Amino acid sequence: MLFSIYLFGSFFLGSVLLTSLIPVVYILPLGMSKKRALMRTMLTWLLKGIIRIHPTVRVKLPDISKSVFDTPGIIISNHQSMIDILVYLSLSPKILMLTKDWVWNNPVYGLLVRFCGHINISPGYGQVLEIVQKRISEGCSILVFPEGSRTADGNIKRFHKGGFYLAQQLNLPL
């Protein structure tokens, strides 16, 4: 329990720090997609640091070259713990996540999530298809947890079809 509090506390403080930097990044003379990319890069560094300092987490990443994320695609994953998100988003600033309303509107990191360009899926896949296409055209891959939430017992729940629908509609690799 203490390690979970430590992990979430680190994430909380890092989120507050990055959120406080949004006004500085916003006034930079860059296009919005470059501002988002800069903020996502800072978030990637933060999450790598949080994962590395956690005393019970041993990180063994496969040799993922930067070229893996040169071609946008849909990343499908099981969602078993909070650290899933931290690990995926620490791999590359080119990974964006589909989120729900509670993440999008979170008072601690909601603004950061929105500014970075993550996508609120609550309106439905058909309604956000254009937004997903725009993020893909910016070179980003989309992370989808097709179960929709974590499970208490670790068993895999029914997959929702949205991530597969996006891959099919946008002709993207999984």
Side-chain angles (χ1 to χ4, degrees):
M1 181 67 156
L2 289 175
F3 290 131
S4 294
I5 292 169
Y6 174 73
L7 180 67
F8 188 75
S10 300
F11 178 72
F12 175 85
L13 291 174
S15 295
V16 170
L17 173 67
L18 286 183
T19 299
S20 69
L21 291 175
I22 289 175
V24 175
V25 171
Y26 190 76
I27 63 171
L28 293 174
L30 301 169
M32 195 58 186
S33 65
K34 290 193 187 271
K35 292 175 187 180
R36 283 189 174 117
L38 175 60
M39 189 59 71
R40 286 193 309 265
T41 299
M42 289 189 284
L43 179 62
T44 298
W45 292 340
L46 169 74
L47 297 177
K48 281 181 183 181
I50 289 172
I51 291 167
R52 299 244 186 262
I53 64 170
H54 194 282
T56 64
V57 175
R58 293 180 191 244
V59 179
K60 283 187 175 182
L61 291 176
D63 185 24
I64 299 175
S65 68
K66 294 182 188 253
S67 65
V68 167
F69 298 108
D70 283 348
T71 303
I74 302 292
I75 301 166
I76 304 286
S77 177
N78 187 17
H79 191 15
Q80 291 192 342
S81 73
M82 179 186 142
I83 203 163
D84 299 339
I85 295 169
L86 303 182
V87 170
Y88 275 108
L89 295 182
S90 74
L91 293 175
S92 170
K94 292 183 175 185
I95 297 176
L96 293 174
M97 194 173 50
L98 295 183
T99 67
K100 292 183 177 181
D101 279 337
W102 74 268
V103 174
W104 194 255
N105 298 320
N106 187 287
V108 175
Y109 48 81
L111 180 60
L112 180 61
V113 167
R114 293 189 300 273
F115 190 83
C116 284
H118 296 279
I119 302 162
N120 183 359
I121 199 61
S122 294
Y125 285 93
Q127 285 73 27
V128 300
L129 192 59
E130 189 174 310
I131 297 167
V132 172
Q133 177 61 50
K134 183 174 184 203
R135 298 296 185 270
I136 293 292
S137 71
E138 293 171 0
C140 295
S141 291
I142 307 298
L143 172 60
V144 180
F145 296 109
E147 295 169 279
S149 63
R150 292 187 299 268
T151 60
D153 59 7
N155 290 324
I156 295 177
K157 293 170 32 177
R158 173 183 87 76
F159 276 22
H160 297 276
K161 64 182 178 181
F164 304 102
Y165 169 79
L166 290 175
Q168 182 182 36
Q169 291 298 308
L170 301 173
N171 196 28
L172 295 170
L174 290 173

